[in-house]
Amino acid sequence: MQYWRKPLDADKIQVPHGEIHIVRDRCKGCGFCVEYCPRDVLELSKQFNIKGYHPPEAVLPEACVHCQLCEMLCPEFAIFVTLREEVETIES
Amino acid sequence: MSKQNNNLPEHPMERLLRMDRIPHIWCSTCGIGTAVSCFISALEKFEYPMDKVAIVSGIGCTGRVAGYIKLDSFHSTHGRAIPFATGLKLANPELKVIVISGDGDLSAIGGNHLIHAARRNMDITVICVNNFIYAMTGGQSAPTTPLTANSSTAPYGNSDPPFNLPLLVGSCGATYVARWTALHIRRLTKSMHEALNKKGFSFIEVIAPCSTLYARRNRLGTGLDLMKFYHDNSEIKHGAPLEELDINFQQKIIVGKFIDKEKPTFVDNWNNWLSQKLGSKFVPYGVAKA
Amino acid sequence: MKADPKGVLTGEHYLDGDHACAEGALAAGCRFFAGYPITPSTEVAERYVSRIPMVGGIFIQMEDELASMAALVGAAWGGKKSMTVTSGPGFSLMMENIGLAAMMETPCVVVNVQRGGPSTGLPTMVGQQDMMQARWGSHGDYQIIALSPASPQEAFDYTIKCFNLAEKYRVPVLFMMDECVGHMTEKVVIPKPDEIEITPRRLTKLAPEKYLPYKTNGDLVPEMIVAGTGYKIHSTGLTHDERGYPVMSPGTQDQLVKRLCDKIKLNADDIIEIEEDQTEGAEVIVMAYGITSRVTLPAVFKARKKGIKVGYIKMITAWPFPEKRVRELAKKVKAFVMPEINLGQMVLEVERCAAGQAKTYHVPHAGGWVHDPEDIYQVIEEAVK
């Protein structure tokens, strides 16, 4: 990370945070959300849901940046993200 | 923070889904649900009264889409989604009519209707989810099954060359033609939104994984493995010549927006020509009531 | 409700049956027509498309009959009264979506100007060989209504009735013309719009949140909606429940399919129209429909002159079959005679309903021309023995 170029307006960039909601029993365990989360927030849980699939769980919930990729990719309408109020800047 | 209890807020797509029918019938790692997610996101951005939007499907796995979307929705017969939609649209030109169906439904049994709707520039949007196979009936060859791919009716590999769908509809006169995979969610959503706003015949091919039949029969892993394949092997080439859009078995898939043009629709032509020929005797059709 | 004056060409005309049928459709309020050319029905489409631009409606020549019929079902849900016309080969193709129309309970009218078959058969010559196909042509159990006109005037009048029945029972109504009636030119009187009774669509008055698309309210026919009015309904060709949602269970199938059949069967008395002449006290009854009902008349008159008590029934409604009346008469008469331009179709129904109580004679004709009345007379003579 230390080698990354730092944007000149880094102090102005606001990083949103998302709150992940998982409808566990609707999930069919395809793993699309886990695979494509750009922040590796999700992992398939060890537990089974009611259908016998392993739904995802947020293992790094604080890392979610509300990109909603999981929400769009999910074929089951089983995961979605709401925007959290607090934002942070890259500087902080 | 993640919530995993029952006190969830409403999923933002629930407004446009028949939640009393969810979970849907599609298999784990099937891509149709993802295409539907994208479609619903596009609908949410579509500035049009949702009461005036209708969905028509044919038969097959993708044929079930109409039944899950909370709009006026019709699950018609095999291959006939486009003529059904044609009747619906012509009877009530205020409607925005979208056909969502599969590759076999639209291009095999419904192939004649597909080319003629494109030729007429019927003002409908057609979303064709292409999973390369007849999935509902157990994995038979479709007119989109790539050469050499295995299906239950091509157990030694397919020797029957497939359609290049963008070329087919483009050459028939479609005003909007795009192809994306189920992994290109943002671009697919944007394309769907553009198609919804398009006047005339718009067509989007969505390459989507079928894990249970296409992937399994061809030993390609799961739908997730197919998504990874799309990630590594699809190439965005907007405006690519349609002849170059063939899809070969497990080879590069060219995606993008290929056609986006303006043309009078079927009803425009009817009204323009007949008012020219018949003058004031002619009662224009489908023009907003005064 | 009275007819919309825009579509009614009031006056006395000299029209063939096909043109009269098109005028009937316009008078009935048909504003959507999807069709595919086929002899001997094409003139209906030609007449319609030459008139509709001035009436205010739309015509589309589809790529085939499969598409025409599918478009018809779509257009009906879009709120228009809709029709298509065809002949035997096209009728076969339409069967698929006639089934869909029956299943989705979609009002629409399909005209079949019958020609000789099977297959391409006799494109320009008469037949009455699609009568059983009209009843049973699409797969599965369902009931439809079928009417058969015997003259251009009837082609006009009963086309309107077809539309009215379609709306009343939410069912595809098949108008079984034949080439002779289609191409026969006679005087047709078109009444004033306020003399033409029109059945409007049975649209629900319920609010969207209270409405279920396939819930009936006592009379077996659910109320309908027009797509785009906020009801957000689902309709499917799959077996469905009151919500219109697919339910794959024997129970739902039983409920739905029985109702689809019952709504016609139990209302047969209201639907059926037949014309009777001297059936009381008759020894023999000649039953016929379409052009054959006219060709039969000289034979009936000749028999009467010879002192045979011949009753005559012209069936305007072919389906549902006038079962009750035939059963009643079977107890009183010696025999039924049915001439048809086929090798035995509707006569099977007569035979079934006569149930051995009266004999049944068929006067077959393979098609291409109408019967010689003398052939019919011979059978009457034999039947009375």
Side-chain angles (χ1 to χ4, degrees), chain B residues 56-60 63 74-88 97 99-102 104-114 117 124 126, chain C residues 62-75 92-98 100 104:
Chain B
V56 184
S57 289
I59 297 296
F74 300 94
H75 182 216
S76 66
T77 37
H78 196 19
R80 315 300 165 223
I82 288 177
F84 189 106
T86 297
L88 191 61
V97 181
V99 170
I100 306 184
S101 218
D105 185 76
L106 289 168
S107 75
I109 188 166
N112 199 21
H113 313 310
L114 178 69
I124 57 175
V126 176
Chain C
M62 296 301 285
E63 49 276 14
D64 55 32
E65 287 90 347
L66 303 159
S68 303
M69 192 59 218
L72 219 58
V73 183
S92 294
L93 293 183
M94 286 179 182
M95 284 303 148
E96 174 194 50
N97 291 297
I98 287 175
L100 181 71
M104 285 185 167

Side-chain angles (χ1 to χ4, degrees), chain C residues 171-186:
Chain C
V171 69
V173 177
L174 313 181
F175 198 41
M176 304 302 287
M177 308 223 308
D178 50 64
E179 185 273 337
C180 276
V181 171
H183 285 164
M184 162 198 291
T185 303
E186 286 182 348

Side-chain angles (χ1 to χ4, degrees), chain C residues 126-376:
Chain C
V126 69
Q128 291 181 315
Q129 299 161 2
D130 308 342
M131 300 307 292
M132 280 292 171
Q133 188 186 19
R135 173 65 188 87
W136 303 104
S138 198
H139 53 279
D141 270 326
Y142 64 97
Q143 293 247 348
I144 44 82
I145 297 173
L147 274 63
S148 192
S151 66
Q153 181 68 53
E154 288 189 3
F156 175 84
D157 295 340
Y158 292 120
T159 298
I160 298 174
K161 182 165 181 169
C162 284
F163 277 96
N164 288 348
L165 288 170
E167 296 298 339
K168 187 167 183 187
Y169 295 104
R170 280 189 64 180
V171 69
V173 177
L174 313 181
F175 198 41
M176 304 302 287
M177 308 223 308
D178 50 64
E179 185 273 337
C180 276
V181 171
H183 285 164
M184 162 198 291
T185 303
E186 286 182 348
K187 180 168 137 179
V188 175
V189 181
I190 299 183
K192 296 198 185 86
D194 59 6
E195 291 164 2
I196 300 174
E197 204 56 49
I198 299 296
T199 307
R201 186 146 299 176
R202 304 170 65 131
L203 294 178
T204 187
K205 291 189 180 72
L206 290 174
E209 60 279 9
K210 291 198 173 145
Y211 173 74
L212 292 175
Y214 290 98
K215 188 171 163 44
T216 54
N217 196 4
D219 74 343
L220 299 170
V221 186
E223 289 172 332
M224 208 173 163
I225 58 105
V226 173
T229 53
Y231 284 86
K232 299 181 179 171
I233 59 119
H234 183 56
S235 188
T236 171
L238 285 167
T239 296
H240 48 267
D241 61 11
E242 291 179 336
R243 297 169 300 173
Y245 291 179
V247 177
M248 300 299 104
S249 78
T252 315
Q253 170 79 357
D254 184 67
Q255 228 174 2
L256 174 67
V257 178
K258 275 190 181 153
R259 184 175 62 73
L260 291 181
C261 292
D262 281 350
K263 72 175 178 180
I264 305 301
K265 264 201 271 188
L266 301 182
N267 288 304
D269 286 345
D270 177 59
I271 297 165
I272 291 169
E273 186 170 341
I274 54 174
E275 286 175 16
E276 294 189 26
D277 181 50
Q278 300 183 27
T279 45
E280 292 308 321
E283 296 170 283
V284 178
I285 289 178
V286 184
M287 285 183 80
Y289 55 91
I291 189 61
T292 312
S293 69
R294 295 176 74 171
V295 175
T296 298
L297 285 173
V300 171
F301 297 151
K302 182 175 174 186
R304 284 176 185 167
K305 258 190 200 156
K306 301 250 176 185
I308 305 172
K309 287 184 186 155
V310 183
Y312 168 75
I313 295 180
K314 177 162 102 180
M315 290 178 9
I316 288 142
T317 313
W319 301 109
F321 184 75
E323 174 163 350
K324 204 166 94 184
R325 187 62 182 142
V326 174
R327 282 190 194 282
E328 274 169 18
L329 290 168
K331 291 179 193 143
K332 302 176 190 166
V333 302
K334 274 192 192 163
F336 290 97
V337 173
M338 181 171 255
E340 306 177 85
I341 308 175
N342 58 50
L343 300 186
Q345 295 198 10
M346 297 306 291
V347 72
L348 299 174
E349 281 294 289
V350 181
E351 203 171 310
R352 179 178 70 82
C353 298
Q357 293 190 288
K359 284 195 275 182
T360 310
Y361 292 84
H362 190 237
V363 193
H365 192 306
W369 194 227
V370 294
H371 291 77
D372 180 345
E374 186 57 29
D375 294 341
I376 302 170

Side-chain angles (χ1 to χ4, degrees), chain A:
Chain A
M1 287 292 248
Q2 58 193 320
Y3 301 111
W4 282 29
R5 185 177 64 84
K6 203 189 219 176
L8 293 171
D9 58 351
D11 58 326
K12 294 194 189 79
I13 293 175
Q14 297 197 320
V15 181
H17 279 280
E19 184 168 335
I20 300 162
H21 308 277
I22 298 164
V23 192
R24 286 176 53 96
D25 288 342
R26 212 182 278 163
C27 173
K28 291 182 192 155
C30 69
F32 289 179
C33 56
V34 174
E35 175 70 24
Y36 291 103
C37 173
R39 306 277 292 192
D40 295 328
V41 171
L42 301 162
E43 263 179 28
L44 286 184
S45 105
K46 297 259 181 312
Q47 269 106 48
F48 293 103
N49 69 5
I50 198 166
K51 289 192 263 202
Y53 292 107
H54 295 287
E57 59 184 352
V59 290
L60 286 171
E62 295 305 326
C64 174
V65 292
H66 191 251
C67 74
Q68 293 174 293
L69 203 75
C70 55
E71 184 178 322
M72 296 281 287
L73 268 173
C74 176
E76 304 293 331
F77 320 106
I79 188 167
F80 61 102
V81 193
T82 49
L83 186 64
R84 269 164 65 184
E85 298 273 311
E86 71 268 33
V87 288
E88 59 169 329
T89 57
I90 289 180
E91 288 291 82
S92 65

